[in-house]
Amino acid sequence: MRFEPGRLILHRNVRHGRIGWVRAARVVSDDERGLLLWVARNAPVAHEVTAAGLGMRAVPFAEWIISGYALAQGTWNGPPVLKFLPTGAAHSVWWFSDEQGRFQNWYVNLEEHGVRWDDGAAAGVDMVDQDLDVVVHPDLTWEWKDEDEFVERLAFPTHYWVTDEKAVRAEGERVIRIAEAGEFPFDGTWCDFTPPADWDAPDELPPGWDRPPAR
């Protein structure tokens, strides 16, 4: 399944069969290398919250796993971001920019490879975010991110969606070697990307955004 450039699709994170977050994104390209997505400023999103309206990062994981949940809709509150989902890979690479639109850094999101779906009116790709990440700076230096959250959640194997810590770290280390070598996609590709002028963020998520996960 391939998505046409310009199509609005949904990038969704799934946790144990529940939707963790949803982001509306435009397809930049979709080819043998992978799927490239653009999340515009103020793009409609949704994320899982407790009955008290708190996100997962706002409470200890021991409290999160016994809470009730709901999906709260909102808007993307950061600068626009470009996301590349390499074909068959257990990660995605995001290009972050500053408030002036200048490239700032890459962000390696470690995740299970995505499962695509298309219902006609709504389409998307569902993956499992594995929480541990790598920030790669323009000079190709790097650092782990969210390692404390990763370690905290691993202490609850019955509830955590990551089942193989070593595999997640190994994938991160593999991508780090690619980044240190300055190889694609850390070779300057897409660092100056500018979306078409008519790619404004839609007002809301399309019907079907909360359909059952594809995985």
Side-chain angles (χ1 to χ4, degrees), residues 130-184:
Q130 296 171 319
D131 299 326
L132 185 64
D133 307 300
V134 182
V135 175
V136 180
H137 302 286
D139 63 358
L140 304 181
T141 59
W142 56 271
E143 58 190 292
W144 293 106
K145 185 178 183 296
D146 299 331
E147 198 163 14
D148 53 343
E149 295 178 357
F150 186 62
V151 171
E152 176 196 12
R153 295 166 189 173
L154 284 167
F156 298 86
T158 302
H159 300 278
Y160 197 27
W161 41 90
V162 173
T163 58
D164 191 339
E165 174 188 2
K166 290 183 178 179
V168 175
R169 291 188 181 277
E171 178 70 359
E173 290 165 357
R174 185 181 73 83
V175 181
I176 285 168
R177 291 193 293 271
I178 295 172
E180 288 178 328
E183 298 175 0
F184 175 82

Side-chain angles (χ1 to χ4, degrees), residues 5-215:
R7 186 175 184 183
L8 181 71
I9 70 167
L10 302 167
H11 189 208
R12 307 195 308 177
N13 174 33
V14 176
R15 307 175 183 134
H16 281 322
R18 288 203 322 261
I19 298 171
W21 52 251
V22 183
R23 294 166 186 168
R26 295 280 179 188
V27 176
V28 178
S29 62
D30 190 8
D31 54 31
E32 63 279 355
R33 293 190 299 184
L35 177 63
L36 186 64
L37 301 174
W38 174 254
V39 179
R41 189 186 303 274
N42 298 321
V45 302
H47 67 282
E48 201 172 44
V49 296
T50 66
L54 299 175
M56 188 169 66
R57 284 184 159 178
V59 297
F61 193 63
E63 180 180 337
W64 174 264
I65 60 180
I66 61 173
S67 300
Y69 310 96
L71 282 166
Q73 296 190 56
T75 56
W76 179 252
N77 59 8
V81 59
L82 195 65
K83 296 183 176 186
F84 178 56
L85 286 62
T87 301
H91 73 275
S92 60
V93 180
W94 305 0
W95 283 248
F96 278 105
S97 302
D98 62 19
E99 290 296 331
Q100 287 71 46
R102 298 170 300 198
F103 173 70
Q104 182 170 288
N105 64 265
W106 294 278
Y107 186 96
V108 180
N109 198 65
L110 297 171
E111 59 193 50
E112 294 183 20
H113 73 273
V115 176
R116 300 180 183 216
W117 54 272
D118 190 343
D119 292 339
V125 56
D126 293 354
M127 57 81 180
V128 179
D129 192 332
Q130 296 171 319
D131 299 326
L132 185 64
D133 307 300
V134 182
V135 175
V136 180
H137 302 286
D139 63 358
L140 304 181
T141 59
W142 56 271
E143 58 190 292
W144 293 106
K145 185 178 183 296
D146 299 331
E147 198 163 14
D148 53 343
E149 295 178 357
F150 186 62
V151 171
E152 176 196 12
R153 295 166 189 173
L154 284 167
F156 298 86
T158 302
H159 300 278
Y160 197 27
W161 41 90
V162 173
T163 58
D164 191 339
E165 174 188 2
K166 290 183 178 179
V168 175
R169 291 188 181 277
E171 178 70 359
E173 290 165 357
R174 185 181 73 83
V175 181
I176 285 168
R177 291 193 293 271
I178 295 172
E180 288 178 328
E183 298 175 0
F184 175 82
F186 306 99
D187 58 355
T189 300
W190 299 320
C191 287
D192 57 353
F193 173 79
T194 301
D198 60 348
W199 278 14
D200 293 334
D203 294 331
E204 58 186 18
L205 293 168
W209 66 267
D210 56 351
R211 57 150 278 176
R215 57 187 322 132

